[in-house]
Each structure stands twice: as structure tokens, then as C-alpha cells.
Amino acid sequence: MKDIVIAGIAGSGKGTQARAIREYLWSQVQYFEPGSVYRALASNDNIAGNYTKAYTNKWLLVPDGFTQSLIWLVFSCLEPNNTLLVDGFPRMYSQKKMFDTAMSNAQRDFLVFELVISEQEAMTRLANRMLCPICWTTYSSLLHGEISTCPDDGATLQIRDDDRSQEAIQERFKLFYQDTKPGLDEYATEGKLIQIDGTQSIEAITQEIIQHIS
């Protein structure tokens, strides 16, 4: 089974789809989502947390050297018989090169699935999502109804800092097309990119992904 990379603009459903795939594949999958790792680091008052906060508080990407170390850590933990599920990475062309090299060295094959939605749809979704500050799970009133606490740990859900203003969201859209899209276009020329209609049901998208990797 091929490894899975899920891509798309903010609000396209990457995290939701990653959660659905994890539930579908269960013990066969190992999950990597750099954003949650950085948010967890930034929640701590130590050298790694303070370093991370210096970038994430300004909605900037953590430098490549730090990311390279994180990739090394991920691949040192990866079991050869498990499927690697990557959520929202690589985000920059330099990160694509790091990831491609790591995958090549590990002799692993993968497909990249871009969830395609309009910016208008993405804005609607982002306006209705909140984050658990303990387990970092994202919830949406569009999917889960009127929800204010995490059903797993009871924590009060919060609006993500990078969802608080339209200016911040528009900047993330801009960075996606500027930094992420060139790498996706290259994956397309390599035959590794599959675009999926991100407005379908969660189940329909999951089944489409599973059919491709199987």
C-alpha cells in the first residue's frame, strides 16, 4: 500500500480527512502532521517551545533546519509495514526536496492528494472551526453541530489564532499558492498528484483515496 500525503488550502479538510483515514486503516497507519507538533512545542516554556513560538506567533513557517530534524525523527520512528499518512506537508519547495529525499532513502512510494475547494468555501469552513488546546483535534460546527467542549478530554474549544481574522486567512491562501502549489505542480508532472473534489462527503473522499493507494 502506498503512503498518503494530503494537501490543500487552509480549510480544505486535510485534518478531517486524515482523521477519517486513520479510523479506516486503524493500526496500519502512522500519522505525521507538523502543524500539531509545532503547536504542541509552542505550548511549552522551554528552548524548543520558545524557538517555535517566535515563528508560529507571527504565522511564519519554522526554518528548514528545524523541519529537517523533525523529518529525521519521523522516519526514525516509522515502521516499514505501516502506511505513512502526512497531513499538510510539504508546504514549501525546499520541504518537498527534504521529504522526497527521505522517502527515496527509505524506499517508500507515495501519492499526494490535493483536496480542491474554492476560497469562499474555505472561508466558510474556517469561520466555523475550533481547536482543542489539549489534544489538538479540530472540530467544526458544520460537521459536529453546536459544540463547545472536546468530547475526548472535556477541554473548552478555542478559535485557532490563525483563523481569527480574514487578513490572516488570506495570507495563508497567498502562501499556499506561492509556496506550496509549485511543489504540487511538480508532483503532478511526476505522476504523484491526484486532485479530489473536496466538497464531497468525508466518506466519499476517503474511499477515493483508499482506492488509489490500494
Side-chain angles (χ1 to χ4, degrees):
M1 184 177 288
K2 294 182 179 181
D3 291 329
I4 304 166
V5 176
I6 303 179
I9 62 173
S12 59
K14 297 185 296 295
T16 299
Q17 194 52 228
R19 187 158 59 243
I21 292 172
R22 290 167 70 188
E23 292 174 355
Y24 186 92
L25 295 178
W26 197 238
S27 61
Q28 303 173 53
V29 67
Q30 286 181 275
Y31 178 52
F32 174 46
E33 197 268 297
S36 62
V37 176
Y38 294 140
R39 287 190 291 273
L41 287 172
S43 68
N44 292 279
D45 184 18
N46 56 36
I47 185 171
N50 293 334
Y51 180 88
T52 306
K53 275 183 285 192
Y55 293 92
T56 57
N57 284 355
K58 298 177 182 178
W59 303 311
L60 298 174
L61 293 176
V62 177
D64 284 348
F66 198 86
T67 303
Q68 179 73 68
S69 299
L70 182 57
I71 293 175
W72 179 86
L73 177 63
V74 168
F75 277 82
S76 67
C77 299
L78 189 58
E79 297 291 339
N81 294 326
N82 283 353
T83 297
L84 175 63
L85 172 60
V86 183
D87 175 358
F89 184 86
R91 292 193 176 184
M92 300 178 67
Y93 190 76
S94 58
Q95 294 178 350
K96 176 185 182 299
K97 290 302 182 184
M98 293 180 204
F99 181 73
D100 291 352
T101 298
M103 293 294 279
S104 177
N105 290 341
Q107 297 183 327
R108 300 181 70 96
D109 194 11
F110 65 98
L111 289 173
V112 181
F113 297 90
E114 181 184 3
L115 306 182
V116 181
I117 65 171
S118 68
E119 289 190 12
Q120 182 178 3
E121 173 68 17
M123 290 289 289
T124 299
R125 294 183 181 186
L126 293 173
N128 288 276
R129 78 175 185 179
M130 291 189 293
L131 180 73
C132 174
I134 295 179
C135 67
W136 307 106
T137 300
T138 298
Y139 294 93
S140 169
S141 59
L142 300 176
L143 295 174
H144 306 100
E146 293 301 320
I147 184 170
S148 60
T149 59
C150 178
D152 293 328
D153 50 49
T156 300
L157 301 179
Q158 302 174 358
I159 299 174
R160 281 177 45 164
D161 289 340
D162 48 3
D163 288 346
R164 290 185 182 277
S165 70
Q166 287 197 0
E167 292 78 9
I169 293 172
Q170 288 295 339
E171 181 64 20
R172 289 161 69 197
F173 290 165
K174 176 183 174 182
L175 291 175
F176 173 80
Y177 292 112
Q178 174 182 298
D179 298 331
T180 308
K181 194 62 174 170
L184 297 179
D185 291 342
E186 187 168 289
Y187 279 135
T189 64
E190 296 168 357
K192 288 187 173 296
L193 179 73
I194 296 171
Q195 292 185 318
I196 294 180
D197 178 4
T199 64
Q200 300 178 87
S201 69
I202 297 171
E203 294 78 9
I205 294 173
T206 302
Q207 288 302 319
E208 190 169 343
I209 291 174
I210 295 300
Q211 287 175 6
H212 282 289
I213 65 171
S214 299

